[in-house]
Amino acid sequence: MSFVQVVEYQTDRPDEVRQLGEEWSRVNPTPGPERLTLAEDRDRPGHFVIVAEFDSYEQAMEHSKQAETGEYADRMRQLATKEPRYVNLEVAHQET
């Protein structure tokens, strides 16, 4: 069963967040997400969402255990104006 993790955060340093994301993409530990999307809320400037799609919950947890993932999360917290919110979702249905 597919698994999706959503990370919501606010920042007043969006350029630094983008740079961090680009750096992350170059050194992303495997197995990483099958798809990773970064989006900014058009109605709330400075509010961002990261959507990470994994093949399974187990794959996501293996990825979360890696030191590089923890370091990335710590750096994201430093760029955020308040603590990020994590939402863990088991995919019940998906269409392509």
Side-chain angles (χ1 to χ4, degrees):
M1 182 69 61
S2 296
F3 179 80
V4 175
Q5 184 172 67
V6 178
V7 182
E8 294 181 275
Y9 64 95
Q10 291 182 200
T11 186
D12 54 5
R13 298 159 63 183
D15 292 337
E16 292 176 64
V17 170
R18 284 190 186 96
Q19 289 173 350
L20 178 60
E22 290 168 5
E23 177 185 327
W24 173 254
S25 294
R26 287 192 302 276
V27 297
N28 186 19
T30 56
E34 294 301 313
R35 183 185 313 197
L36 186 68
T37 303
L38 169 63
E40 183 174 9
D41 188 331
R42 293 181 67 100
D43 299 323
R44 294 184 291 170
H47 183 87
F48 293 84
V49 176
I50 297 172
V51 180
E53 298 178 39
F54 294 89
D55 285 337
S56 68
Y57 171 79
E58 292 77 19
Q59 180 192 18
M61 293 305 101
E62 278 300 312
H63 185 261
S64 291
K65 289 179 189 175
Q66 296 183 19
E68 298 92 340
T69 303
E71 292 168 13
Y72 173 81
D74 288 342
R75 290 177 65 190
M76 279 293 300
R77 274 189 208 92
Q78 293 172 6
L79 296 172
T81 55
K82 63 181 187 178
E83 188 65 23
R85 177 177 175 250
Y86 291 82
V87 181
N88 296 308
L89 305 167
E90 197 73 44
V91 176
H93 177 78
Q94 191 170 41
E95 293 185 25
T96 57

